[in-house]
Amino acid sequence: MSNLSSKPYQIGYALTPKKEKTFIVPSLLSYASEKGVVLAKIDPSKPLIQQGPFDCILHKLYDSDWKQNLQDFASRNPNVPIIDSPDSIEILHSRISMLETVSKLRITNTGVPKQITVTELTDMEDLKLNFPSIAKPLDADGSETSHKMHLVFDKGGLKDLTPPFVLQDFVNHGGVIFKVYVAGKYSRCMKRKSLPDIPEEKLVNLKGSLPFSQVSNLAAAGGEGSEIEKTEMPPEKLVEELVEGLKEELKLNLFNFDVIRDGRSKDKDKYIVIDINYFPGFGNLVSGETIAVASGPEAAKRGTTTGGVAVVEVDCDVGLVNDLV
């Protein structure tokens, strides 16, 4: 965006305190100012129509009052982009609907882990379970409890878990996870250390369950660690297909998804999408990496409406985040 008008382009933001601390950083404010963009903090307890004026709204709040506030604002300001639609974000708050979006894409050599939903710990004998499994809270709303996950080795390991949760098949994947960050037109795939592989002969000695914070101890106990430097990245074309497919299916601008290589497959290019998150922290990117996250004045001309809230493609020439946590 090179030809800015003399009037600053005002982006209102409504974030949790934790997100604001890591997102609204000096480097972003400085860059925005250079580009003629003002980042204005929104008071979510007050009507949006009484604040502003805003040329764009960026948010990560989920309560019903805030959603109603956004809808009231959007009904009176249909041309103001809102990043992103609460209805679209809501899809990622359930680990069921989250992965259903991946299944709809039908991209060759990709899939999702087999999973079941557990709502109560009764009649577990009738459930067709594979072990080891990963137990994840059903809700994925970014709360502290939504991140409490366990590696479960047998049915006995379920007794200390609190329903509802999903059980996903654990898949050996070389101890490496691929994290793909998406911000509008921008995307970046990176590899990170993950849970260690578990050889079948070691499973006979593993009972109960372990929280993820303790799973790293498996490497010392016989689990196979990763050689992350030697691990090949997924094919660029496959990553691009996933990025474009999920952007289209989810109608979101800011998200990341996690991919693993299926160690069970003889084809080394079989991949599984295991998680999708809205508006993640971008601090895992290499030092100096920048992610575009705001929209420019041109964006308002491209805005569309989904679920009563205007959404728009992020303009990668304007705002950016630098080394976020």
Side-chain angles (χ1 to χ4, degrees), residues 170 172-176 193-202 218-227:
F170 174 80
N172 280 338
H173 53 282
V176 176
K193 186 176 180 180
S194 180
L195 303 181
D197 284 354
I198 306 174
E200 289 189 16
E201 61 270 19
K202 300 294 182 181
L218 278 178
E224 297 181 353
S226 66
E227 295 187 16

Side-chain angles (χ1 to χ4, degrees), residues 47 166 178 180 226 233-234 256 263 276 305:
V166 297
F178 304 100
V180 183
S226 66
M233 298 292 284
N256 86 300
I276 311 175
T305 300

Side-chain angles (χ1 to χ4, degrees), residues 185-253:
K185 297 177 183 177
Y186 178 98
S187 64
R188 177 73 182 271
C189 180
M190 308 199 66
K191 56 186 176 182
R192 290 288 180 263
K193 186 176 180 180
S194 180
L195 303 181
D197 284 354
I198 306 174
E200 289 189 16
E201 61 270 19
K202 300 294 182 181
L203 286 175
V204 295
N205 299 318
L206 297 172
K207 305 295 181 183
S209 64
L210 277 177
F212 269 26
S213 60
Q214 297 178 22
V215 171
S216 59
N217 296 333
L218 278 178
E224 297 181 353
S226 66
E227 295 187 16
I228 190 168
E229 295 82 6
K230 298 180 181 179
T231 301
E232 293 183 11
M233 298 292 284
E236 186 175 335
K237 183 176 184 297
L238 182 141
V239 173
E240 290 176 353
E241 286 186 83
L242 283 170
V243 168
E244 295 304 317
L246 288 173
K247 282 166 60 176
E248 177 67 24
E249 189 67 35
L250 293 168
K251 301 294 189 292
L252 291 174
N253 291 291

Side-chain angles (χ1 to χ4, degrees), residues 56-63 66-68 70-71 74 80-93 247 249-255 278-279 304-314:
C56 174
I57 290 179
L58 183 69
H59 73 103
K60 193 178 182 181
L61 297 176
Y62 304 131
D63 63 87
W66 170 248
K67 292 178 183 178
Q68 187 61 54
L70 275 179
Q71 289 183 352
V80 175
I82 294 177
I83 303 173
D84 272 305
S85 161
D87 290 344
S88 295
I89 297 170
E90 190 70 26
I91 295 172
L92 301 186
H93 286 177
K247 282 166 60 176
E249 189 67 35
L250 293 168
K251 301 294 189 292
L252 291 174
N253 291 291
L254 298 173
F255 63 95
Y278 178 65
F279 202 161
T304 58
T305 300
T306 301
V309 177
V311 297
V312 68
E313 181 179 359
V314 176

Side-chain angles (χ1 to χ4, degrees), residues 76-149:
R76 300 193 184 193
N77 301 273
N79 294 321
V80 175
I82 294 177
I83 303 173
D84 272 305
S85 161
D87 290 344
S88 295
I89 297 170
E90 190 70 26
I91 295 172
L92 301 186
H93 286 177
S94 165
R95 299 193 191 278
I96 302 300
S97 58
M98 172 197 298
L99 294 186
E100 285 177 347
T101 62
V102 182
S103 300
K104 293 177 182 178
L105 301 181
R106 301 187 182 279
I107 296 174
T108 304
N109 290 332
T110 65
V112 297
K114 179 182 177 182
Q115 67 178 15
I116 63 169
T117 303
V118 178
T119 56
E120 55 183 19
L121 295 177
T122 59
D123 300 324
M124 298 299 292
E125 296 299 326
D126 296 331
L127 293 177
K128 295 181 180 180
L129 303 175
N130 295 320
F131 292 101
S133 290
I134 298 176
K136 300 180 178 182
L138 180 59
D139 293 333
D141 56 4
S143 63
E144 184 177 348
T145 57
S146 70
H147 296 295
K148 292 184 177 180
M149 305 180 192

